[in-house]
Every structure is written in C-alpha cells, then in structure tokens.
Amino acid sequence: MSAKRSRTYFLILADVIAVFGSFLLALYLRLGSDGFIDQVDRHSGLLKMALATCVWLVCLYFHDLYDYQILSMRKEMALRAVQAIGVSWVLLAVLYYLVPSLEIGRGTALYAIAITLVLLLSIRLALHSMTRRFLMVPTILVVPWGS
C-alpha cells in the first residue's frame, strides 16, 4: 500500500471519528444526558448519525478534501471545508424536511456544525503539519572538489 493511499485512509477514518463524535457531543450538549440516552436508545440515534456522517463524507469527497494538492493550501482547504459543511447541512435539512423521523434531535444541528468545523479543520491542519515535518527531505548540494 502506498504512503499516499494510507494517508487518505487515515484521513477518512479521522473524518468519520470527528463527524460522528461531533454529533454525539452536540446531542449531549443540546439534550443533556437523559435526552442523549433517549435519542440513542429509543429513536435509533446511532443509525441516524451514521447516515448524517455518510452525507458529510460524500460532501467532503466532492469538495476535493481528500486531494493532497488541496490539503497543502491552507486557505483553499479551509474554504472548501466550510463549503462542504454548508452543502452537507443543506442536504441534511432537505432530508429532515422530507423524512422528519430521520432528524437526530431538535436543535442539535447548530451545535454539530460548529463542533465539526473546528474538529475537521484541526485534524487537517495537524495532518498537514505532521506530513510536512516527517516527510521533509533534506536538500543535498554536491560540490565538485579538485581538478
């Protein structure tokens, strides 16, 4: 497996954990522990969060946030991440309007948007700085000596 492919898989896994974790945290912050347990146990909250996470990942993919040329440009990456988040929440809003039973919890969307944006940008910036630091190749200057 190439290094680029393994980094992409790591980034996808980190995105899944960040998005799913942000939904969990947003649900807990918005509804408290009793509402959180109610949503997860009685209303299939984990399946709803998995569906929303899939929508997020598709939006991240279509905004080229798994392309390392885009990831190397911080401003472009941040702009595309914000655009992907906006598109994903519009898609989820339409989905929740058409099928109201899929909504994760009333009012958790705003919490999840903020948490996910911070987590995704932090993960991508950390990955960018780690890959630059560990993959930095030293420059060697060869100077001829003698006649």
Side-chain angles (χ1 to χ4, degrees), residues 99-116:
V99 187
S101 62
L102 291 178
E103 188 176 7
I104 296 171
R106 289 192 60 80
T108 58
L110 291 176
Y111 288 87
I113 289 171
I115 295 168
T116 305

Side-chain angles (χ1 to χ4, degrees), residues 9-59:
Y9 290 147
F10 174 75
L11 188 58
I12 291 170
L13 179 66
D15 286 345
V16 168
I17 292 170
V19 173
F20 198 82
S22 70
F23 280 116
L24 288 172
L25 183 60
L27 191 63
Y28 181 78
L29 290 174
R30 175 69 176 108
L31 302 177
S33 61
D34 293 334
F36 175 81
I37 292 170
D38 181 54
Q39 279 291 327
V40 171
D41 284 345
R42 294 189 196 146
H43 300 289
S44 304
L46 295 178
L47 290 175
K48 294 175 186 179
M49 287 183 238
L51 174 68
T53 302
C54 289
V55 170
W56 273 80
L57 291 178
V58 168
C59 287

Side-chain angles (χ1 to χ4, degrees), residues 117-132:
L117 181 62
V118 169
L119 283 176
L120 286 179
L121 289 178
S122 300
I123 287 171
R124 291 178 185 293
L125 290 175
L127 182 69
H128 176 68
S129 67
M130 283 188 332
T131 56
R132 274 184 79 193

Side-chain angles (χ1 to χ4, degrees), residues 58-135:
V58 168
C59 287
L60 292 174
Y61 175 76
F62 281 121
H63 280 85
D64 292 329
L65 287 170
Y66 296 111
D67 182 5
Y68 280 92
Q69 291 176 344
I70 300 298
L71 290 178
S72 64
M73 299 179 283
R74 289 183 183 185
K75 289 181 183 177
E76 184 70 22
M77 187 242 341
L79 176 68
R80 287 180 185 229
V82 170
Q83 288 173 346
I85 288 170
V87 170
S88 65
W89 278 109
V90 167
L91 289 175
L92 286 174
V94 169
L95 185 66
Y96 294 158
Y97 179 76
L98 295 175
V99 187
S101 62
L102 291 178
E103 188 176 7
I104 296 171
R106 289 192 60 80
T108 58
L110 291 176
Y111 288 87
I113 289 171
I115 295 168
T116 305
L117 181 62
V118 169
L119 283 176
L120 286 179
L121 289 178
S122 300
I123 287 171
R124 291 178 185 293
L125 290 175
L127 182 69
H128 176 68
S129 67
M130 283 188 332
T131 56
R132 274 184 79 193
R133 185 176 308 141
F134 293 125
L135 297 178

